[in-house]
Amino acid sequence: TGRWEDYHIGGANAFTGAVWAYTDDTEVASPNSNWNSGFPDYRNNKNQCMYIKEPDDYEQRNESCDQNYGYLCQIDPFA
């Protein structure tokens, strides 16, 4: 189980290797300097989701998508 200082941020690689996209299909810029040192890592062949970790200055990490983390949402304030 996850800890609540870890937050899913809506990015995943959906079995496509190094191509990451957000839930709205916007591709994550590459190279992305917001990854924590050593990430992304591809330890297994599962779908990987992007999350941020509070003790690591909110730098991005990846883990299997079945982790129980909190989540952050983005809304359009003008919608």
Side-chain angles (χ1 to χ4, degrees):
T1 63
R3 297 169 309 280
W4 291 112
E5 65 267 11
D6 300 338
Y7 299 96
H8 284 291
I9 58 172
N13 73 342
F15 303 104
T16 57
V19 177
W20 289 81
Y22 293 108
T23 54
D24 68 355
D25 292 327
T26 302
E27 191 170 319
V28 176
S30 180
N32 186 338
S33 61
N34 294 326
W35 288 102
N36 187 275
S37 179
F39 288 89
D41 75 19
Y42 301 100
R43 295 177 296 214
N44 57 44
N45 292 325
K46 287 185 175 181
N47 185 5
Q48 295 284 302
C49 285
M50 188 184 303
Y51 74 99
I52 56 175
K53 188 174 188 69
E54 182 268 328
D56 292 329
D57 295 327
Y58 298 105
E59 292 179 319
Q60 296 166 187
R61 295 170 167 254
N62 67 297
E63 185 62 76
S64 64
C65 293
D66 59 0
Q67 298 299 307
N68 185 24
Y69 296 148
Y71 56 90
L72 298 176
C73 298
Q74 177 179 336
I75 62 168
D76 182 352
F78 303 106

